[in-house]
Each structure stands twice: as C-alpha cells, then as structure tokens.
Amino acid sequence: MNIDFGSIVAAGASGFTVANLLPALIVFVVCLIVVKLICNVFDKFLEKSPIERSLHTFLRSTVRTALYFLTILIVADKLGIPMTSLIALLSVFGLAVSLAVQGTLSNLAGGIMILLSKPFKVGDFVEAGSVSGVAEEIGLVYTK
C-alpha cells in the first residue's frame, strides 16, 4: 500500500477556506458540550451499574477518547478536509500501533475478561498451573 502524503495535504488544503472557519468553530464548541454531557451521563450509568470498579476508569477513558476522536473528524469534515484520506491514514497508523503493542493488548483483553466474567474475586484461592495463592488485587493488566 503506497500512501502519497503530499496529495492528502494538498487535498486538505484545497478544501479549507476562511468561510468554513466560523461554522467549524461553532460545531467544535457544540461537540465539546455534547461530549461533556454524554460523559456525565455515562459516569452516572457506571456508578449505578454492577460493572467492576477496576473497569470504570478504563471504560471512561475509552468513551471519552472515542468521542473526542469523533469530534475531530466532524470538525475536519466541516473545514473541508476529505475524510476518506484521513481515515485511511489513521487506520494504517492504528494497525501499526496495535501490532507493536500486541502482547500488552492481549494482557489488557485478558484483564477485561476476568473483570467482566468474574471467575474469581479478591480473597479467593486461585491455582493456575504450578502457581497457587490468594488473589489480593485484580487489575486490567495483572492480578496479584
């Protein structure tokens, strides 16, 4: 796959005009207000939900990051920047990063699975292979 960054920048620069700036700024402010409202509603949902407390911070940051990313895409589209090129570029970048941190993402997914399925809780005696002991702390990346 061969990406021509020069054509992406040129296409983005040709669609951008000063007339697009004020509407894009208004959309940006409205998006920030909506993101804040959604995050507050999500926080209230998490407080009432039976989801493990250790997972709350991860879920909050994931939702907040996704909403800010969506805000950036909406504002860039309002500025006249072509989204297909930008999304293709970000997809390639995301694939490269995910392959680089594959082991860590595997541990994170395992931690999320343990916190969601709750096969054991803090204070339970756990035996895995030749290692056994009492679970003192269950986190997203590791269990003590």
Side-chain angles (χ1 to χ4, degrees):
M1 183 173 178
N2 210 359
I3 299 175
D4 182 16
F5 294 107
S7 65
I8 292 172
V9 172
S14 67
F16 177 77
T17 63
V18 177
N20 293 345
L21 195 57
L22 183 61
L25 186 62
I26 292 170
V27 167
F28 179 68
V29 170
V30 169
C31 284
L32 289 180
I33 293 169
V34 170
V35 165
K36 187 150 182 93
L37 289 172
I38 290 173
C39 286
N40 287 340
V41 169
F42 188 69
D43 285 344
K44 290 177 184 174
F45 166 76
L46 282 178
E47 293 302 321
K48 294 179 182 178
S49 72
I51 297 173
E52 188 74 31
R53 275 247 185 263
S54 306
L55 207 51
H56 286 199
T57 305
F58 173 74
L59 290 174
R60 280 185 185 116
S61 64
T62 301
V63 167
R64 187 171 289 118
T65 302
L67 289 173
Y68 283 135
F69 179 73
L70 189 60
T71 297
I72 290 169
L73 290 179
I74 291 170
V75 171
D77 185 49
K78 195 69 177 166
L79 286 171
I81 299 171
M83 288 295 99
T84 53
S85 300
L86 185 61
I87 290 175
L89 181 66
L90 291 173
S91 298
V92 169
F93 178 72
L95 178 64
V97 168
S98 65
L99 288 175
V101 294
Q102 186 175 8
T104 305
L105 288 177
S106 174
N107 290 341
L108 183 67
I112 291 171
M113 293 287 291
I114 288 174
L115 289 172
L116 289 177
S117 65
K118 299 181 184 177
F120 56 88
K121 58 184 183 284
V122 174
D124 285 354
F125 181 78
V126 180
E127 187 173 344
S130 63
V131 179
S132 61
V134 176
E136 294 177 1
E137 179 184 343
I138 301 172
L140 283 176
V141 183
Y142 62 88
T143 299
K144 283 187 184 177

